[in-house]
Amino acid sequence: MGPALLSLVGVALGAGGSLFGQYLVSRASTRQLEVQESAAHRAELKDAVLKFVRIASQVEKAALTRPDADGTTADDESSRLVDDLWLAQAEIDLAARSEPLRGATYRYAVRLAEAARGEMSDASALRGPQAEFMDAAYADMWPGLRRPDGDPGSPR
């Protein structure tokens, strides 16, 4: 009876070890998948943010350097840029994981659209929404990490 009991204990230990090993492999695979998904999200969001920033820069430049004369060509260009801005904002809205980024992007786009319509003449009114947008984008891409001091767009 002793050898049978020992072999039964051996089988139980082997099965337990095998199950524990499978658990560890499964846990590592899950973690690796999370890391890959996070990297893919960052890449997708980074592309959307860079597109939005590029268009925002064009809108700001066009709005703040617009001539006083009423020109339809300039208005058409400004209107096209604002349309592109709202499309870029929608891309971020779809790619973002966090509501703060969606809200900050929307508020910044609204201020830029106001500038494009000639409702503001001072670029400093855009700096607050711009910094809020950049901070929210950073937080969405790297949750839990603070932006280092001295980053452009960082109000610290």
Side-chain angles (χ1 to χ4, degrees):
M1 179 126 146
L5 188 58
L6 284 177
S7 63
L8 186 60
V9 169
V11 168
L13 285 174
S18 178
L19 289 174
F20 184 68
Q22 287 178 349
Y23 166 75
L24 290 177
V25 167
S26 172
R27 196 168 136 198
S29 295
T30 300
R31 179 66 185 134
Q32 185 178 21
L33 181 62
E34 289 171 356
V35 167
Q36 289 172 346
E37 287 175 350
S38 181
H41 168 256
R42 267 195 308 277
E44 178 185 7
L45 186 58
K46 179 184 137 196
D47 290 342
V49 166
L50 289 175
K51 179 180 179 182
F52 181 83
V53 168
R54 181 181 47 79
I55 294 170
S57 175
Q58 292 173 350
V59 169
E60 183 177 344
K61 183 177 178 182
L64 298 176
T65 60
R66 68 191 290 158
D68 291 333
D70 200 27
T72 58
T73 306
D75 288 343
D76 289 346
E77 177 66 14
S78 179
S79 179
R80 184 192 62 76
L81 283 172
V82 170
D83 288 346
D84 290 346
L85 178 74
W86 285 114
L87 287 172
Q89 183 270 334
E91 282 185 45
I92 291 176
D93 203 37
L94 292 171
R97 287 185 177 168
S98 68
E99 193 56 40
L101 177 56
R102 289 182 184 100
T105 306
Y106 178 79
R107 287 185 292 278
Y108 185 32
V110 166
R111 297 299 291 181
L112 286 164
E114 290 171 353
R117 289 191 303 264
E119 296 175 9
M120 75 173 61
S121 60
D122 186 14
S124 65
L126 295 171
R127 297 304 159 241
Q130 181 187 44
E132 180 186 356
F133 163 73
M134 294 303 288
D135 286 341
Y138 186 92
D140 198 272
M141 284 188 257
W142 292 281
L145 295 178
R146 285 192 58 221
R147 287 181 68 188
D149 290 342
D151 273 1
S154 180
R156 291 179 264 297

